[in-house]
Structure formats: C-alpha cells, structure tokens
Amino acid sequence: MAGHSKWANIRHKKEKTDAQKAKIFSKLGRELMVVAKMYGPDPEKNPKLRDVIAKAKANNMPMEKIMGFIKKAAGEIDTTGYEDITYEGYGPGGVAVIVEAMTNNRNRTAGEIRHIFDKNGGNLGQTGCVSWMFNKKGVIIIEKESFPDEDFVMEKALEYGAEDFSSENDVYEIITSPEDFSKVREGLEKDGFTFIRAQIEMIPQTTVKLSEEDAQKMRRLIDMLEDNDDVKEVYHNWEEE
C-alpha cells in the first residue's frame, strides 16, 4: 500500500536506540511522567499512557523502570506548560521532514529546531507545508525470528482490525488506523506477541532519493534532531539506500 513505513528507516532507529539507550530512556521517561501526571497514573484508565508504555517496551525499557517513572510522576515533575508541538520543514534535496517534540519552552525549542535545519542544508517551514504528504498510521513491527508462522501472525493482526500486513526481510509490518492502533496492539500483546516498534507514526505517501552529498547532510540533520532533548520523533520521506 502507498505510505508504508520502510524497514531500513526503522532499523536505523533501532540501532541508534541500542547505541544511545540512556538518552532514549531519559526521553521516554519524561514522556511517561508527563502523560501519567496529566491524564492519570493508571494505565487501565489512561489510554495515552498505555500507548507510551508500549512504545517504551518496544525500546527495551524494563517494566520495573517504566513503572518507576510512572510512580515518580506523582510528585517529581511539574507538567505546567508542557505541550506537544509538531514542526514541519524541508531537508537537503527537498526531503519532507516532520518533527514531533514535547517541551515546556516553545520559543527555546523552536529556535533549536530551526538552527538544526539551517545548519544542515534544510529550512523550517510553516505548519502544514509537508504533513499533507504523510498518512498518520499505527505501526507495529514484529521480528520473524520470534514468531516464524507468518500466516498465524497475519491472521491475528487482521482479526484484531489491522488495515494491512506485510512481510519485510526479517520482520512483519502491521499497519492500523490511528483509531484502531491500541485495540490491535493490545490484542496481539494478550496473545503473547512482543514488538520491536509499536506506535502511531507519520508515514510518507511517496519517497525521494538523494545524492551521496545530500544523503550525508540528511543523516546529520536526523541525528542532530534526534539528539535534541525535546524531540520525540523524526519522520521524513527520504528513501535510504
């Protein structure tokens, strides 16, 4: 289907997660704490928190650490002023880029994101300038090695309401509507499935290729954005080789 996420992009993120686990855990910890403080610490009554927990588990955060962050939310974080902000712009070669951030200082974060774009041959644009090129979808990635029966995995995914299922190299990719994401993920979890990625993402409808020079700039742009403490996710339509 048009707008599939690319495993090459996800694999890069997985490798970075392994190399920078402490930073990833720190960002996820803050997200867990803010969502628990704002909407309640009980996952059964807080679907937003359930989704962040699933995201943390897919990034190999131990459950005891996840629950520790949620408990800390009761008194150790001031959620005043925290908000989710989405930035849109263009990278080298006209690549469409969407940056999702969580910040308590909108001006600081906007300035930092703009500087990163400018420094790497891109430019920050207006809201809506590239989001029309993406579809918001739930994405669940399962390693084949853990669940080799492809027909069974596909049957279960579709049974719980997945829109699409594909087999990509060493993983299965399950696509859902944003509305059905939690239902599909929770159904698969109850059946014993584990995920290496499970979250709602912005998936490009079409992709672009870059020259070697622009590809190097694009990689630096992504790396610098992902290293920023306020950035949660970076999406783009660059087709990595």
Side-chain angles (χ1 to χ4, degrees):
M1 65 177 269
H4 253 226
S5 65
K6 295 290 185 180
W7 173 237
N9 295 353
I10 295 168
R11 174 172 295 166
H12 168 72
K13 291 181 181 178
K14 182 170 183 286
E15 289 169 354
K16 278 184 64 64
T17 298
D18 293 339
Q20 302 178 349
K21 189 173 290 186
K23 191 168 187 70
I24 296 293
F25 280 10
S26 176
K27 288 187 180 187
L28 286 168
R30 184 176 65 173
E31 192 172 354
L32 284 163
M33 291 169 70
V34 171
V35 170
K37 187 74 175 278
M38 293 178 72
Y39 303 104
D42 184 354
E44 294 299 317
K45 299 177 182 177
N46 184 347
K48 289 180 180 290
L49 182 57
R50 289 201 300 273
D51 286 345
V52 181
I53 289 172
K55 181 179 174 182
K57 287 168 66 178
N59 278 281
N60 297 316
M61 183 183 284
M63 198 63 199
E64 60 193 43
K65 188 176 283 288
I66 291 172
M67 296 312 297
F69 279 119
I70 294 172
K71 288 175 183 175
K72 283 182 185 178
E76 292 192 22
I77 188 168
D78 179 5
T79 58
T80 305
Y82 269 101
E83 56 184 326
D84 288 318
I85 302 178
T86 300
Y87 302 95
E88 301 180 34
Y90 297 93
V95 172
V97 183
I98 296 177
V99 181
E100 292 181 352
M102 175 183 283
T103 181
N104 61 353
N105 188 326
R106 178 188 284 255
N107 290 335
R108 180 201 68 220
T109 303
E112 291 175 352
I113 299 301
R114 185 179 302 279
H115 174 71
I116 292 171
F117 271 89
D118 291 344
K119 189 173 182 179
N120 293 283
N123 61 283
L124 198 59
Q126 298 296 317
T127 300
C129 68
V130 300
S131 57
W132 59 272
M133 304 182 201
F134 294 75
N135 294 321
K136 182 177 281 191
K137 296 289 182 182
V139 178
I140 297 170
I141 306 293
I142 298 174
E143 279 187 313
K144 288 184 182 179
E145 186 178 357
S146 303
F147 305 95
D149 189 340
E150 181 176 329
D151 289 341
F152 177 75
V153 180
M154 178 173 66
E155 188 177 299
K156 282 295 181 182
L158 297 177
E159 176 185 325
Y160 289 119
E163 284 186 357
D164 199 17
F165 175 94
S166 63
S167 179
E168 306 281 345
N169 299 319
D170 52 354
V171 301
Y172 306 117
E173 182 179 79
I174 297 165
I175 303 294
T176 78
S177 68
E179 296 77 18
D180 289 337
F181 169 71
S182 294
K183 180 181 70 173
V184 176
R185 176 183 55 72
E186 290 170 4
L188 292 171
E189 278 183 338
K190 287 176 184 175
D191 284 337
F193 289 97
T194 55
F195 317 123
I196 57 175
R197 194 162 180 85
Q199 60 195 64
I200 294 174
E201 303 187 5
M202 299 297 289
I203 301 177
Q205 298 171 16
T206 58
T207 57
V208 298
K209 294 185 177 182
L210 293 176
S211 66
E212 183 61 35
E213 181 182 351
D214 281 344
Q216 290 179 3
K217 292 179 182 177
M218 188 64 200
R219 171 58 57 225
R220 285 197 300 271
L221 172 63
I222 294 170
D223 286 345
M224 288 184 68
L225 287 169
E226 290 182 343
D227 282 342
N228 184 279
D229 287 341
D230 294 334
V231 172
K232 295 194 298 182
E233 294 292 336
V234 180
Y235 304 112
H236 58 80
N237 68 343
W238 169 34
E239 184 176 333
E240 299 179 66
E241 297 295 337

